[in-house]
Each structure stands twice: as C-alpha cells, then as structure tokens.
Amino acid sequence: MKKTRIITTDDILLTLCQAVNGVLAAAGNPAVNHSPMVQKIQKTCLRPDLGCFVLFDGGFSGLVIINFTAPAALEIYRKYMMSMGMPENELAQFHTSDEVGNVMGELMNQIVGDFTNKVRQDLHTSINQSQPKMMAINKQVQILINTQLDQPQARRVTFSTPEHNIFYMELAMDKTEFIQLQEFEPAEQENPDDILANAQQYRQENTVDIEPEVDDDFLKNLGF
C-alpha cells in the first residue's frame, strides 16, 4: 500500500524559500541562503528599512512579506544592476531611491511569480498574486497587513547575503493540507532565468512606487 503524501504549510514555505534563492541567483545574487530554521510567529509586519508585500488568493490565500535592511537591499540591487551591465558609478547610493524601490519590487514580483508556478506544477492548483507594494519604513514604524484569513498560520525565515547582510521573509496563509490521492507526473518547472528575461518588458511597462510616507486611503483599504 503506497504511503499518502501530505503537503503542509511548512512544505509550501520551503517552496517559497527556493523561489527566493532561485530568482535572486538568476539576478546576480547566487550566494543568498536561507536559514534551516523557521520561526512560528503570531502576525506578519512590514518592518524597517524597506518592506515589500504581495497578496495572493485562489487555491489558498495568503500574504508574502520581505523586509530588507538597507544594506541588504542595496547589495542585492547593486549586484543585480551590475550583472546587467550597469556601471557602478551610475547606481543609486541610498535604499530610499526610487530606482532601488522599483528594482526590489520587480524582484519581489518575480519571486512570487516563480512561487505560483511551482504551486501550480507541484500541487495542481492555482493562485493569483497582487501587484507588489514597496515602502521605505523608518525605525519607529511597523505596519500590520490584514489578510482576512480564516485560520492563519504565519512563519518567518531569515536570509543572509554573501556580505553578511540580513533580510526576512514572512508568510501568512490559510491553515491547509494538500493530500495526494494518486500518482502523477510532475510538470516541467520554469527556469528563473527565463522569468527574469521576460521581466524586462514588465519593468518597462510597470513601475513599483516607493512610498516614504504611509497613505491613509491605502491603509484603510487594507482594513486597518
């Protein structure tokens, strides 16, 4: 009798971590690693210095947040731009620059896009993502995002860069399990290099605005 395969929240979290590593590696940051330990947390927050979040729904609902320290954001941004041939002396110097916000938002969009592809291929279900929202946040501010989940589960994973800078990814999603009823052939997974290659047109047509101040109407729409 074959053993029933059950996919849990932590398995989905691992898929998301692999999407972060894969997309950043394809974007000129090949040595970014995540911690082998995961934290169970009570709530997800946007935290200093640069916070980005994406909502998703469909087969299951949830929220992905990545909180970058200023050094981590600048390191990832600079390596990505230099890998595309941008001269170092033309790069932004501060994490509050619009250029840094746009690039990090683009990478966030590609990370969640890769994640949704993996979910579709591995779990045979579909989820849709929102447009990334990026904010520069000062040291005194934390922003809660209301996701309207029925039985939320929240996790936090620490990532480190080659220059020993730190950023954090948080996942909140419905408590759910996927149970494999029968054998199936896994679909071919899309290469992160292809995702980033296709992102160039997205970057020309869409920009992710960095907001130095919190907009009241925007926060009201989020439910807090």
Side-chain angles (χ1 to χ4, degrees):
M1 183 177 179
K2 73 178 183 68
K3 184 178 180 181
T4 301
R5 183 183 178 211
I6 299 177
I7 304 298
T8 66
T9 299
D10 291 331
D11 296 312
I12 294 172
L13 175 65
L14 180 59
T15 298
L16 182 56
C17 290
Q18 292 169 347
V20 173
N21 290 341
V23 170
L24 291 183
N29 291 270
V32 172
N33 295 306
H34 64 268
S35 169
M37 304 296 291
V38 58
Q39 294 175 263
K40 289 186 177 181
I41 56 178
Q42 298 300 314
K43 57 188 178 182
T44 56
C45 294
L46 291 174
R47 306 173 190 273
D49 295 301
L50 198 63
C52 186
F53 74 92
V54 175
L55 299 166
F56 60 86
D57 59 19
F60 56 93
S61 299
L63 163 73
V64 178
I65 289 177
I66 300 185
N67 293 309
F68 297 96
T69 60
L74 284 171
E75 178 187 348
I76 292 170
Y77 153 78
R78 292 172 70 84
K79 287 184 177 180
Y80 177 35
M81 299 303 289
M82 291 172 66
S83 73
M84 295 193 300
M86 180 73 72
E88 186 173 6
N89 60 356
E90 295 182 12
L91 299 178
Q93 300 297 314
F94 302 100
H95 75 281
T96 52
S97 165
D98 287 347
E99 176 71 11
V100 175
N102 290 339
V103 167
M104 301 308 292
E106 175 186 320
L107 290 175
M108 181 71 165
N109 190 64
Q110 300 311 311
I111 287 167
V112 180
D114 187 43
F115 169 65
T116 59
N117 284 333
K118 292 178 186 294
V119 165
R120 183 179 67 252
Q121 293 154 358
D122 295 344
L123 303 181
H124 286 234
T125 190
S126 177
I127 56 176
N128 304 306
Q129 68 186 79
S130 68
Q131 185 76 4
K133 301 295 183 182
M134 180 75 69
M135 293 183 185
I137 303 172
N138 65 38
K139 296 295 184 183
Q140 287 74 40
V141 175
Q142 293 184 0
I143 301 174
L144 298 179
I145 308 297
N146 185 2
T147 56
Q148 302 295 328
L149 300 177
D150 293 330
Q151 291 182 292
Q153 291 187 309
R155 303 285 190 269
R156 180 187 297 132
V157 179
T158 302
F159 286 76
S160 59
T161 70
E163 296 180 12
H164 306 293
N165 294 312
I166 300 297
F167 64 94
Y168 303 92
M169 182 185 69
E170 298 181 3
L171 170 68
M173 61 173 284
D174 290 320
K175 182 178 181 180
T176 187
E177 291 183 344
F178 287 85
I179 303 170
Q180 182 177 332
L181 299 178
Q182 62 187 44
E183 297 293 334
F184 60 86
E185 290 293 330
E188 182 179 353
Q189 294 192 355
E190 190 170 357
N191 192 313
D193 289 331
D194 298 332
I195 296 175
L196 284 171
N198 294 333
Q200 300 309 315
Q201 182 177 358
Y202 161 83
R203 190 179 176 199
Q204 294 173 358
E205 297 175 354
N206 301 274
T207 58
V208 179
D209 294 331
I210 187 167
E211 302 182 25
E213 298 182 358
V214 178
D215 182 79
D216 291 338
D217 291 335
F218 169 65
L219 296 180
K220 184 177 179 181
N221 291 334
L222 291 173
F224 58 94

